[in-house]
Amino acid sequence: MHRLRADVTACATDDGMVLLDERAGRYWQLNGTGALVVKALLDGATPEQAAERLAATRPVTPERATADVTALVAHLVEERLVTDS
């Protein structure tokens, strides 16, 4: 399960989500699709389940959804915004 690090805050916006890394003073703007994935992960979904939700609600193939979720999770981990628990 992925969780935001303790010093990262998420805030929903009209068209997505903003993640604020308080220790680095940086923020990331996520579009609606990225927000859907991050919210699913924070709600306890696995990356595979998040990809299924993405494919069910957006005009994207399951393969593309899986690739997109994998890339987003890798980026969030690389930027140290999330942890595995």
Coordinates of all heavy atoms in Angstrom, one line a residue:
M1 N 0.8 -1.2 0.0 CA 0.0 0.0 0.0 C 0.9 1.2 0.0 O 1.9 1.3 0.7 CB -0.9 0.0 1.2 CG -1.8 1.2 1.3 SD -2.7 1.4 2.8 CE -3.6 -0.1 2.9
H2 N 0.5 2.2 -0.8 CA 1.3 3.5 -0.8 C 0.6 4.5 0.0 O -0.6 4.6 0.1 CB 1.3 4.0 -2.3 CG 2.2 3.1 -3.2 ND1 1.7 2.0 -3.8 CD2 3.5 3.2 -3.5 CE1 2.7 1.5 -4.5 NE2 3.8 2.2 -4.3
R3 N 1.4 5.3 0.7 CA 1.0 6.4 1.6 C 1.8 7.6 1.3 O 3.0 7.4 1.0 CB 1.1 6.0 3.0 CG 0.2 4.9 3.5 CD 0.3 4.8 5.0 NE -0.4 3.7 5.5 CZ -1.7 3.6 5.8 NH1 -2.4 4.7 5.6 NH2 -2.3 2.5 6.2
L4 N 1.2 8.8 1.4 CA 2.0 10.0 1.3 C 3.0 10.0 2.5 O 2.6 9.6 3.6 CB 1.1 11.2 1.3 CG 0.3 11.5 0.1 CD1 -0.6 12.7 0.3 CD2 1.1 11.6 -1.2
R5 N 4.2 10.5 2.3 CA 5.1 10.7 3.4 C 4.4 11.7 4.4 O 3.6 12.5 4.0 CB 6.4 11.2 2.9 CG 7.1 10.2 2.0 CD 8.5 10.7 1.5 NE 9.4 10.9 2.6 CZ 10.2 9.9 3.1 NH1 10.2 8.8 2.5 NH2 11.0 10.2 4.1
A6 N 4.9 11.7 5.6 CA 4.3 12.5 6.6 C 4.4 14.0 6.3 O 3.5 14.8 6.7 CB 4.9 12.2 8.0
D7 N 5.4 14.4 5.6 CA 5.6 15.8 5.3 C 5.1 16.2 3.9 O 5.5 17.2 3.3 CB 7.1 16.2 5.5 CG 8.0 15.2 4.8 OD1 7.6 14.3 4.1 OD2 9.2 15.3 5.1
V8 N 4.2 15.4 3.3 CA 3.6 15.7 2.0 C 2.1 15.8 2.2 O 1.5 15.0 2.9 CB 3.9 14.6 1.0 CG1 3.2 14.8 -0.3 CG2 5.4 14.4 0.7
T9 N 1.6 16.9 1.7 CA 0.2 17.2 1.9 C -0.5 17.2 0.5 O 0.1 17.7 -0.5 CB 0.0 18.7 2.5 OG1 0.7 18.7 3.7 CG2 -1.5 19.0 2.7
A10 N -1.7 16.6 0.4 CA -2.5 16.6 -0.8 C -3.7 17.5 -0.7 O -4.3 17.5 0.4 CB -2.9 15.1 -1.1
C11 N -3.9 18.2 -1.7 CA -5.1 19.1 -1.7 C -5.8 19.0 -3.1 O -5.2 19.2 -4.1 CB -4.6 20.6 -1.5 SG -6.0 21.7 -1.5
A12 N -7.1 18.6 -3.0 CA -7.9 18.5 -4.2 C -8.1 19.9 -4.8 O -8.2 20.9 -4.1 CB -9.2 17.9 -4.0
T13 N -8.1 20.0 -6.1 CA -8.4 21.3 -6.9 C -9.5 21.0 -7.8 O -10.0 19.9 -7.9 CB -7.1 21.7 -7.7 OG1 -6.9 20.8 -8.7 CG2 -5.9 21.9 -6.8
D14 N -10.0 22.0 -8.4 CA -11.1 21.9 -9.4 C -10.8 20.9 -10.5 O -11.7 20.2 -11.0 CB -11.6 23.2 -10.0 CG -12.3 24.1 -8.9 OD1 -12.8 23.6 -7.9 OD2 -12.3 25.3 -9.2
D15 N -9.6 20.9 -10.9 CA -9.2 20.0 -12.1 C -8.1 19.0 -11.8 O -7.4 18.6 -12.7 CB -8.8 20.9 -13.2 CG -7.7 21.9 -12.9 OD1 -7.5 22.2 -11.7 OD2 -7.1 22.5 -13.8
G16 N -8.0 18.6 -10.5 CA -7.0 17.6 -10.2 C -6.6 17.6 -8.7 O -7.4 17.6 -7.8
M17 N -5.3 17.7 -8.5 CA -4.8 17.6 -7.1 C -3.4 18.3 -7.1 O -2.6 18.3 -8.1 CB -4.6 16.2 -6.7 CG -4.1 15.9 -5.3 SD -3.9 14.1 -4.9 CE -5.6 13.7 -4.7
V18 N -3.0 18.9 -5.9 CA -1.7 19.4 -5.7 C -1.1 18.6 -4.6 O -1.7 18.4 -3.5 CB -1.7 20.9 -5.4 CG1 -0.4 21.4 -5.0 CG2 -2.3 21.7 -6.6
L19 N 0.2 18.2 -4.7 CA 1.0 17.6 -3.7 C 2.0 18.6 -3.3 O 2.8 19.1 -4.1 CB 1.6 16.3 -4.2 CG 0.7 15.2 -4.7 CD1 1.5 14.0 -5.2 CD2 -0.3 14.8 -3.6
L20 N 2.1 18.9 -2.0 CA 3.1 19.8 -1.5 C 4.1 19.0 -0.6 O 3.8 18.4 0.4 CB 2.5 20.9 -0.6 CG 3.5 21.8 0.2 CD1 4.4 22.6 -0.8 CD2 2.7 22.7 1.1
D21 N 5.4 19.0 -1.0 CA 6.5 18.4 -0.2 C 7.0 19.5 0.7 O 7.8 20.4 0.3 CB 7.6 17.9 -1.2 CG 8.7 17.3 -0.4 OD1 8.8 17.3 0.8 OD2 9.6 16.7 -1.1
E22 N 6.6 19.5 1.9 CA 6.9 20.5 2.9 C 8.4 20.6 3.2 O 8.9 21.7 3.5 CB 6.0 20.4 4.1 CG 4.6 20.5 3.9 CD 3.7 20.2 5.0 OE1 4.1 20.3 6.2 OE2 2.5 19.9 4.8
R23 N 9.1 19.5 3.2 CA 10.5 19.5 3.6 C 11.3 20.1 2.5 O 12.3 20.7 2.7 CB 11.0 18.1 3.9 CG 11.2 17.2 2.7 CD 11.8 15.9 2.9 NE 11.7 15.4 1.6 CZ 11.0 14.4 1.2 NH1 10.4 13.7 2.0 NH2 11.0 14.1 -0.1
A24 N 10.9 19.9 1.2 CA 11.7 20.5 0.1 C 11.1 21.8 -0.4 O 11.7 22.5 -1.2 CB 11.7 19.5 -1.1
G25 N 9.9 22.1 0.0 CA 9.2 23.4 -0.5 C 8.8 23.3 -1.9 O 8.8 24.3 -2.6
R26 N 8.6 22.1 -2.4 CA 8.2 21.9 -3.8 C 6.7 21.4 -3.9 O 6.3 20.7 -3.0 CB 9.1 20.9 -4.5 CG 10.5 21.4 -4.6 CD 11.4 20.4 -5.3 NE 11.0 20.2 -6.7 CZ 11.4 19.2 -7.4 NH1 12.3 18.4 -7.0 NH2 11.0 19.1 -8.7
Y27 N 6.1 21.7 -5.0 CA 4.7 21.1 -5.2 C 4.6 20.6 -6.6 O 5.3 20.9 -7.5 CB 3.7 22.2 -4.9 CG 3.5 23.3 -5.9 CD1 2.6 23.2 -6.9 CD2 4.3 24.4 -5.8 CE1 2.5 24.2 -7.9 CE2 4.2 25.4 -6.7 CZ 3.3 25.3 -7.7 OH 3.2 26.3 -8.7
W28 N 3.7 19.6 -6.7 CA 3.4 19.0 -8.0 C 1.9 19.1 -8.2 O 1.1 18.9 -7.4 CB 3.7 17.5 -7.9 CG 5.2 17.2 -7.9 CD1 5.9 16.8 -9.1 CD2 6.1 17.3 -6.9 NE1 7.2 16.7 -8.7 CE2 7.4 17.0 -7.4 CE3 6.0 17.7 -5.6 CZ2 8.5 17.0 -6.7 CZ3 7.2 17.7 -4.8 CH2 8.4 17.3 -5.4
Q29 N 1.6 19.5 -9.5 CA 0.2 19.6 -9.9 C -0.2 18.4 -10.7 O 0.5 18.0 -11.6 CB 0.1 20.8 -10.8 CG -1.3 21.0 -11.4 CD -2.2 21.9 -10.6 OE1 -1.7 22.8 -9.9 NE2 -3.5 21.7 -10.6
L30 N -1.2 17.7 -10.2 CA -1.7 16.5 -10.9 C -3.0 16.8 -11.7 O -3.9 17.5 -11.1 CB -2.0 15.4 -9.9 CG -0.8 14.9 -9.1 CD1 -1.2 13.9 -8.1 CD2 0.3 14.3 -10.0
N31 N -3.1 16.4 -12.9 CA -4.4 16.6 -13.6 C -5.4 15.6 -13.0 O -5.2 14.8 -12.1 CB -4.2 16.4 -15.1 CG -3.8 15.0 -15.5 OD1 -3.9 14.0 -14.7 ND2 -3.2 14.8 -16.7
G32 N -6.6 15.6 -13.6 CA -7.7 14.8 -13.0 C -7.4 13.3 -13.1 O -7.7 12.6 -12.1
T33 N -6.7 12.9 -14.1 CA -6.3 11.4 -14.2 C -5.3 11.1 -13.1 O -5.5 10.1 -12.4 CB -5.8 11.1 -15.6 OG1 -6.8 11.4 -16.6 CG2 -5.4 9.7 -15.7
G34 N -4.3 11.9 -13.0 CA -3.3 11.6 -11.9 C -3.9 11.7 -10.5 O -3.6 10.9 -9.7
A35 N -4.8 12.6 -10.3 CA -5.5 12.7 -9.0 C -6.4 11.4 -8.8 O -6.4 10.9 -7.7 CB -6.4 13.9 -9.0
L36 N -7.0 10.9 -9.8 CA -7.8 9.7 -9.7 C -6.9 8.6 -9.2 O -7.3 7.8 -8.3 CB -8.5 9.3 -11.0 CG -9.4 8.1 -11.0 CD1 -10.5 8.3 -12.0 CD2 -8.6 6.9 -11.4
V37 N -5.8 8.4 -9.8 CA -4.8 7.4 -9.5 C -4.3 7.5 -8.0 O -4.3 6.6 -7.2 CB -3.7 7.3 -10.5 CG1 -2.6 6.3 -10.0 CG2 -4.2 6.9 -11.9
V38 N -3.9 8.7 -7.7 CA -3.3 9.0 -6.4 C -4.4 8.7 -5.3 O -4.1 8.1 -4.3 CB -2.7 10.4 -6.3 CG1 -2.3 10.7 -4.8 CG2 -1.4 10.4 -7.1
K39 N -5.6 9.2 -5.6 CA -6.7 9.0 -4.6 C -6.9 7.5 -4.4 O -7.1 7.1 -3.3 CB -7.9 9.8 -5.0 CG -9.1 9.6 -4.0 CD -10.2 10.6 -4.3 CE -11.3 10.4 -3.3 NZ -11.3 9.5 -2.3
A40 N -7.0 6.8 -5.5 CA -7.2 5.3 -5.4 C -6.1 4.7 -4.5 O -6.4 3.9 -3.7 CB -7.3 4.7 -6.8
L41 N -4.9 5.1 -4.8 CA -3.8 4.5 -4.0 C -3.9 4.9 -2.5 O -3.6 4.0 -1.7 CB -2.4 5.0 -4.6 CG -2.1 4.5 -6.0 CD1 -0.9 5.2 -6.5 CD2 -1.9 3.0 -6.1
L42 N -4.2 6.1 -2.3 CA -4.3 6.6 -0.9 C -5.5 5.9 -0.2 O -5.5 5.7 1.1 CB -4.4 8.1 -0.8 CG -3.2 8.8 -1.3 CD1 -3.4 10.3 -1.2 CD2 -1.9 8.4 -0.5
D43 N -6.5 5.5 -0.9 CA -7.7 4.8 -0.4 C -7.4 3.3 -0.2 O -8.3 2.6 0.2 CB -8.9 5.0 -1.3 CG -9.5 6.4 -1.2 OD1 -9.1 7.1 -0.3 OD2 -10.3 6.7 -2.1
G44 N -6.2 2.9 -0.5 CA -5.8 1.5 -0.2 C -5.7 0.6 -1.5 O -5.5 -0.6 -1.3
A45 N -6.0 1.1 -2.6 CA -6.0 0.3 -3.8 C -4.6 0.0 -4.2 O -3.6 0.7 -3.9 CB -6.7 1.1 -5.0
T46 N -4.4 -1.2 -4.8 CA -3.1 -1.5 -5.3 C -2.9 -0.8 -6.7 O -3.9 -0.3 -7.2 CB -3.0 -3.1 -5.6 OG1 -3.9 -3.4 -6.7 CG2 -3.2 -3.9 -4.4
P47 N -1.7 -0.7 -7.2 CA -1.5 -0.1 -8.5 C -2.4 -0.8 -9.6 O -2.9 -0.1 -10.5 CB 0.0 -0.2 -8.8 CG 0.6 -0.2 -7.4 CD -0.4 -1.0 -6.6
E48 N -2.5 -2.1 -9.5 CA -3.3 -2.8 -10.5 C -4.8 -2.4 -10.3 O -5.5 -2.2 -11.4 CB -3.2 -4.3 -10.2 CG -1.8 -4.9 -10.5 CD -0.8 -4.6 -9.4 OE1 -1.2 -4.3 -8.2 OE2 0.4 -4.8 -9.7
Q49 N -5.3 -2.3 -9.1 CA -6.7 -1.8 -8.9 C -6.9 -0.4 -9.4 O -7.9 0.0 -10.0 CB -7.1 -1.9 -7.5 CG -7.2 -3.4 -7.0 CD -7.3 -3.5 -5.5 OE1 -6.7 -2.7 -4.8 NE2 -8.0 -4.5 -5.0
A50 N -5.9 0.5 -9.2 CA -5.9 1.9 -9.6 C -6.0 1.9 -11.1 O -6.7 2.7 -11.7 CB -4.7 2.7 -9.1
A51 N -5.2 1.0 -11.8 CA -5.2 0.9 -13.3 C -6.6 0.5 -13.8 O -7.1 1.0 -14.8 CB -4.1 0.0 -13.8
E52 N -7.2 -0.5 -13.1 CA -8.6 -0.9 -13.4 C -9.6 0.2 -13.3 O -10.4 0.4 -14.2 CB -9.0 -2.1 -12.5 CG -8.2 -3.4 -12.8 CD -8.5 -4.5 -11.8 OE1 -9.4 -4.3 -10.9 OE2 -7.9 -5.5 -11.8
R53 N -9.5 1.0 -12.2 CA -10.4 2.2 -12.1 C -10.2 3.2 -13.2 O -11.1 3.7 -13.7 CB -10.1 2.8 -10.7 CG -10.6 2.1 -9.5 CD -10.4 2.9 -8.3 NE -10.6 2.0 -7.1 CZ -10.4 2.4 -5.9 NH1 -10.2 3.7 -5.6 NH2 -10.5 1.5 -4.9
L54 N -8.9 3.4 -13.5 CA -8.6 4.3 -14.6 C -9.2 3.9 -15.9 O -9.8 4.7 -16.6 CB -7.1 4.5 -14.7 CG -6.5 5.5 -15.8 CD1 -7.1 6.9 -15.5 CD2 -5.0 5.4 -15.7
A55 N -9.0 2.6 -16.2 CA -9.5 2.1 -17.5 C -11.0 2.1 -17.5 O -11.6 2.2 -18.6 CB -9.0 0.7 -17.7
A56 N -11.7 2.0 -16.4 CA -13.1 1.9 -16.3 C -13.7 3.3 -16.4 O -14.9 3.4 -16.8 CB -13.6 1.3 -15.0
T57 N -13.0 4.4 -16.1 CA -13.5 5.7 -16.1 C -13.0 6.7 -17.1 O -13.5 7.8 -17.3 CB -13.3 6.4 -14.7 OG1 -11.9 6.4 -14.4 CG2 -14.0 5.5 -13.6
R58 N -12.0 6.2 -17.8 CA -11.3 7.1 -18.8 C -11.2 6.3 -20.1 O -11.2 5.1 -20.1 CB -9.9 7.5 -18.4 CG -9.8 8.3 -17.1 CD -10.4 9.7 -17.3 NE -10.0 10.7 -16.2 CZ -10.6 10.8 -15.1 NH1 -11.7 10.1 -14.8 NH2 -10.2 11.7 -14.2
P59 N -11.2 7.0 -21.3 CA -11.1 6.3 -22.6 C -9.6 5.9 -22.8 O -8.9 6.4 -23.6 CB -11.5 7.4 -23.6 CG -11.1 8.7 -22.9 CD -11.3 8.5 -21.4
V60 N -9.2 4.8 -22.1 CA -7.9 4.3 -22.2 C -7.9 2.8 -22.1 O -8.8 2.2 -21.4 CB -7.0 4.9 -21.1 CG1 -7.4 4.6 -19.7 CG2 -5.5 4.6 -21.3
T61 N -7.1 2.1 -22.8 CA -7.0 0.6 -22.7 C -6.5 0.2 -21.4 O -5.7 0.9 -20.7 CB -6.2 0.0 -23.8 OG1 -4.8 0.4 -23.6 CG2 -6.6 0.5 -25.2
P62 N -6.8 -1.0 -20.9 CA -6.2 -1.5 -19.7 C -4.7 -1.5 -19.7 O -4.1 -1.2 -18.7 CB -6.8 -2.9 -19.5 CG -8.1 -2.9 -20.3 CD -7.8 -1.9 -21.4
E63 N -4.1 -1.8 -20.8 CA -2.6 -1.9 -20.9 C -2.1 -0.5 -20.8 O -1.0 -0.3 -20.1 CB -2.2 -2.5 -22.3 CG -2.6 -3.9 -22.5 CD -4.1 -4.1 -22.9 OE1 -4.7 -3.2 -23.3 OE2 -4.5 -5.3 -22.8
R64 N -2.7 0.5 -21.4 CA -2.2 1.9 -21.3 C -2.4 2.4 -19.8 O -1.5 3.1 -19.3 CB -3.0 2.8 -22.2 CG -2.6 4.2 -22.2 CD -1.3 4.4 -23.0 NE -0.3 4.9 -22.1 CZ 1.0 5.0 -22.4 NH1 1.4 4.7 -23.5 NH2 1.8 5.5 -21.5
A65 N -3.5 2.0 -19.2 CA -3.8 2.4 -17.8 C -2.7 1.9 -16.9 O -2.2 2.6 -16.0 CB -5.2 2.0 -17.4
T66 N -2.4 0.6 -17.1 CA -1.3 0.0 -16.3 C 0.0 0.6 -16.5 O 0.7 0.9 -15.5 CB -1.2 -1.5 -16.6 OG1 -2.5 -2.2 -16.3 CG2 -0.1 -2.2 -15.8
A67 N 0.4 0.9 -17.7 CA 1.6 1.6 -18.0 C 1.6 3.0 -17.3 O 2.7 3.4 -16.7 CB 1.9 1.7 -19.5
D68 N 0.6 3.7 -17.4 CA 0.5 5.1 -16.9 C 0.6 5.1 -15.3 O 1.3 5.9 -14.7 CB -0.8 5.8 -17.3 CG -0.8 6.2 -18.8 OD1 0.3 6.1 -19.4 OD2 -1.8 6.6 -19.3
V69 N -0.2 4.1 -14.7 CA -0.1 4.0 -13.3 C 1.3 3.6 -12.8 O 1.8 4.2 -11.8 CB -1.2 3.0 -12.7 CG1 -1.0 2.7 -11.3 CG2 -2.6 3.6 -13.0
T70 N 1.9 2.7 -13.5 CA 3.3 2.3 -13.1 C 4.2 3.4 -13.2 O 5.1 3.6 -12.3 CB 3.7 1.1 -14.1 OG1 2.8 0.0 -13.9 CG2 5.1 0.7 -13.7
A71 N 4.1 4.2 -14.3 CA 5.0 5.4 -14.4 C 4.8 6.4 -13.4 O 5.7 7.0 -12.8 CB 4.8 6.0 -15.8
L72 N 3.5 6.7 -13.0 CA 3.2 7.7 -12.0 C 3.7 7.2 -10.6 O 4.3 8.0 -9.9 CB 1.7 8.0 -11.9 CG 1.3 9.0 -10.9 CD1 2.0 10.3 -11.0 CD2 -0.2 9.1 -10.9
V73 N 3.5 6.0 -10.3 CA 4.0 5.5 -9.0 C 5.5 5.5 -8.9 O 6.1 6.0 -7.9 CB 3.5 4.0 -8.8 CG1 4.2 3.4 -7.6 CG2 1.9 4.0 -8.5
A74 N 6.2 5.2 -10.0 CA 7.6 5.2 -10.0 C 8.1 6.7 -9.8 O 9.1 6.9 -9.1 CB 8.2 4.7 -11.4
H75 N 7.4 7.6 -10.4 CA 7.8 9.0 -10.3 C 7.6 9.5 -8.8 O 8.4 10.2 -8.3 CB 7.0 9.9 -11.3 CG 7.5 11.3 -11.3 ND1 8.7 11.7 -11.8 CD2 6.9 12.4 -10.8 CE1 8.8 13.0 -11.6 NE2 7.8 13.5 -11.0
L76 N 6.4 9.1 -8.3 CA 6.1 9.5 -6.9 C 7.2 8.9 -5.9 O 7.6 9.6 -5.0 CB 4.7 9.1 -6.5 CG 3.6 9.7 -7.2 CD1 2.3 9.0 -6.9 CD2 3.5 11.2 -6.9
V77 N 7.6 7.7 -6.2 CA 8.6 7.1 -5.3 C 9.9 7.7 -5.5 O 10.7 8.0 -4.6 CB 8.7 5.5 -5.6 CG1 9.9 4.9 -5.0 CG2 7.4 4.8 -5.2
E78 N 10.3 8.0 -6.8 CA 11.6 8.7 -7.1 C 11.7 10.0 -6.4 O 12.7 10.4 -5.9 CB 11.7 8.8 -8.6 CG 13.0 9.5 -9.1 CD 13.0 9.7 -10.6 OE1 12.6 8.7 -11.3 OE2 13.4 10.7 -11.0
E79 N 10.6 10.7 -6.4 CA 10.6 12.1 -5.8 C 10.4 12.0 -4.3 O 10.3 13.1 -3.6 CB 9.4 12.9 -6.4 CG 9.7 13.3 -7.9 CD 10.9 14.2 -8.1 OE1 11.3 14.9 -7.2 OE2 11.4 14.1 -9.2
R80 N 10.3 10.8 -3.8 CA 10.1 10.6 -2.3 C 8.9 11.2 -1.8 O 8.9 11.8 -0.7 CB 11.4 11.0 -1.6 CG 12.6 10.2 -2.0 CD 13.9 10.6 -1.3 NE 13.6 10.6 0.1 CZ 14.4 11.2 1.0 NH1 15.5 11.8 0.6 NH2 14.1 11.2 2.3
L81 N 7.8 11.2 -2.5 CA 6.5 11.7 -2.1 C 5.7 10.6 -1.4 O 4.8 11.0 -0.6 CB 5.7 12.3 -3.2 CG 6.4 13.5 -3.9 CD1 5.7 13.8 -5.2 CD2 6.5 14.7 -3.0
V82 N 5.9 9.4 -1.7 CA 5.2 8.3 -1.1 C 6.1 7.3 -0.5 O 7.3 7.2 -0.8 CB 4.3 7.6 -2.1 CG1 3.2 8.5 -2.7 CG2 5.1 6.9 -3.2
T83 N 5.5 6.5 0.4 CA 6.2 5.3 1.0 C 5.4 4.1 0.8 O 4.2 4.2 0.6 CB 6.5 5.5 2.5 OG1 5.3 5.7 3.1 CG2 7.4 6.8 2.7
D84 N 6.0 2.9 0.8 CA 5.2 1.7 0.8 C 5.0 1.3 2.3 O 5.9 1.4 3.1 CB 6.0 0.6 0.1 CG 6.1 0.8 -1.4 OD1 5.2 1.4 -1.9 OD2 7.2 0.5 -2.0
S85 N 3.9 0.8 2.6 CA 3.6 0.3 3.9 C 2.9 -1.0 3.9 O 2.5 -1.4 2.9 CB 2.8 1.3 4.7 OG 1.6 1.6 4.1

